[in-house]
Amino acid sequence: METHSYFPVPPGVGMEENFLSLDDILLSHERLPSRTECTFPRLGFLEKSSDSRDIQEGTKMEMPLFLAKGLYERKRRVVSVELPKVYKEGWRTVFNADPTVVDLHKMGPYYYGLGSQLLHFDSPENPEIAQAVLQTFIGRFRRTMDSSQNAYNEDTSALVERLDYLERALFRAGQSGLNSFQNWERGRASTITASSLVLNYRKRKITDLQP
Amino acid sequence: MFCEKAIEIIRELHRMGDGQLPAFNEDGIRQVLEEMKALYEQNQSDVNEAKSEGKSELIPTIKFRHCCLLRNQRCIAAYLYDRLLRIRTLRWEYGSVLPTNIRFHMCAEELEWFNQYKKSLATFMRSLGGEEGLDITQDMKPPKSLYIEVRCLKDHGEFEIDDGTIILLKKNSQHFLPRWKCEQLIRQGVLEHIMS
């Protein structure tokens, strides 16, 4: 079994973000439909649809999560954030009906992460969003766990295709556990193996040579 | 939009999820730093204007730029930190001497950091286990026997073992060697551990 000594900074849990985590940085770059509630002078060039020098009050724009989080204030209305469609009532009903049929990779891929982050914005629907995200996870977890524990030595791309980012990480953890266990059972756990880093590096070098 | 370049360098690093070290994106970092400088200067002049002329309507814009400034800072910090984690891994996977093509992927400061890390680790290992010290990068898996059977995967040249015998490591040849001597070579993919 390959041993890893590279452990990236883990993403934050729940509503927290981990400052140095690459996953969380990518998550907080997801765009949210939002509306400006005051004028932003001199930033008109960011908004391609109008020629105005300023971003006018009431402009609808897609704002990255980190910016919406930074600008959002409870007391003073600077921006208001709308829900992306997967968290809206309509989709929540779909998730309620059968969470396992939804392609979360296409809908997200940070469905759970973004859903938790949305709770930072005071929306009346917050409790329902939290509930929907949790129930979706519960509904899908069993299948994710099951498939990760039973796919040994086979192509898993079809299994992970529709999984959200968080679920993929869980799937990988399950697979690595399964592989280690199988190795141990066959008495191969004590074999010293070449570092996967070295092997992958060599693989890449060969492909680099080919035009 | 601001911060596009910063997210690009993060994506580039994130794509190599298995811990490989991509080339240091000096150009990307420079562009992000330039954007930060521009943001800072624009904000500085707007802050002065807001203060001296009492233009409080500028405040949302200042805050907007400030968020982007902090964002860029976060991306750069995370980029550099994640690279350091990868470089630290290289010490454990490749040993203290890195192949040249990997060294080419590091910037001068990273090379210096690697050397310092190597030194710290060596000092620590010397302080362990009495006089000779203890190599903690050895025996990552508990050993079952002192000698193991290995097969050569490529020509590696001559190799001296403890008792002074010199062995020629030729491709496809098989040897029975002291485990602690060849563990590193197995990790590097020169030898293959054979279990009967």
Side-chain angles (χ1 to χ4, degrees), chain B residues 41-58:
Chain B
E41 278 164 4
Q42 285 163 356
N43 251 3
Q44 202 64 19
S45 80
D46 278 3
V47 165
N48 288 336
E49 204 178 315
K51 262 194 198 152
S52 60
E53 296 168 35
K55 278 189 176 174
S56 60
E57 70 270 18
L58 283 175

Side-chain angles (χ1 to χ4, degrees), chain B residues 4-170:
Chain B
E4 291 300 332
K5 198 68 206 173
I7 202 75
E8 206 174 289
I9 62 172
I10 294 289
R11 279 216 182 89
E12 177 192 303
L13 198 57
H14 188 257
R15 221 173 294 137
M16 301 215 169
D18 56 354
Q20 287 180 45
L21 191 70
F24 185 72
N25 195 337
E26 208 177 332
D27 195 48
I29 295 274
R30 190 179 46 78
Q31 286 181 37
V32 177
L33 289 174
E34 268 166 20
E35 188 186 289
M36 285 172 78
K37 198 166 166 238
L39 282 169
Y40 179 77
E41 278 164 4
Q42 285 163 356
N43 251 3
Q44 202 64 19
S45 80
D46 278 3
V47 165
N48 288 336
E49 204 178 315
K51 262 194 198 152
S52 60
E53 296 168 35
K55 278 189 176 174
S56 60
E57 70 270 18
L58 283 175
I59 290 173
T61 297
I62 295 171
K63 211 172 159 200
F64 189 104
R65 290 203 196 99
H66 190 67
C67 279
C68 296
L69 200 61
L70 290 178
R71 173 71 173 181
N72 276 335
Q73 186 190 36
R74 177 180 174 192
C75 289
I76 290 197
Y79 180 77
L80 295 175
Y81 184 69
D82 196 73
R83 283 182 64 90
L84 283 193
L85 291 181
R86 287 166 196 242
I87 292 169
R88 187 174 70 185
T89 310
L90 292 175
R91 168 64 187 84
W92 291 77
E93 304 274 326
Y94 278 91
S96 56
V97 184
L98 293 183
T100 351
N101 42 13
I102 291 185
R103 271 209 307 263
F104 277 144
H105 284 178
M106 290 154 78
C107 71
E109 288 78 13
E110 286 174 335
L111 278 173
E112 196 194 323
W113 187 87
F114 181 77
N115 284 330
Q116 297 287 349
Y117 179 70
K118 234 160 59 179
K119 266 187 213 153
S120 310
L121 191 64
T123 315
F124 174 67
M125 292 197 295
R126 261 201 309 277
S127 73
L128 296 170
E131 284 291 294
E132 298 111 68
L134 176 70
D135 186 352
I136 54 172
T137 66
Q138 289 273 334
D139 294 327
M140 301 292 270
K141 289 172 181 171
K144 290 200 170 160
S145 54
L146 287 176
Y147 282 76
I148 54 174
E149 183 92 36
V150 292
R151 184 182 299 132
C152 263
L153 296 176
K154 54 178 163 186
D155 291 320
H156 190 69
E158 288 179 346
F159 186 64
E160 189 178 333
I161 55 170
D162 305 339
D163 55 3
T165 330
I166 290 173
I167 294 172
L168 184 65
L169 294 181
K170 210 165 166 280

Side-chain angles (χ1 to χ4, degrees), chain A residues 23-51:
Chain A
D23 287 322
D24 275 350
I25 290 183
L26 291 177
L27 158 68
S28 55
H29 213 75
E30 290 283 304
R31 288 169 187 273
L32 299 173
S34 48
R35 193 168 164 276
T36 54
E37 300 280 345
C38 66
T39 312
F40 290 86
R42 294 169 195 180
L43 290 174
F45 64 94
L46 294 175
E47 179 52 32
K48 298 287 186 312
S49 56
S50 77
D51 289 333

Side-chain angles (χ1 to χ4, degrees), chain A residues 190-201:
Chain A
S190 59
T191 320
I192 314 173
T193 49
S195 148
S196 60
L197 200 60
V198 178
L199 290 178
N200 286 337
Y201 197 79

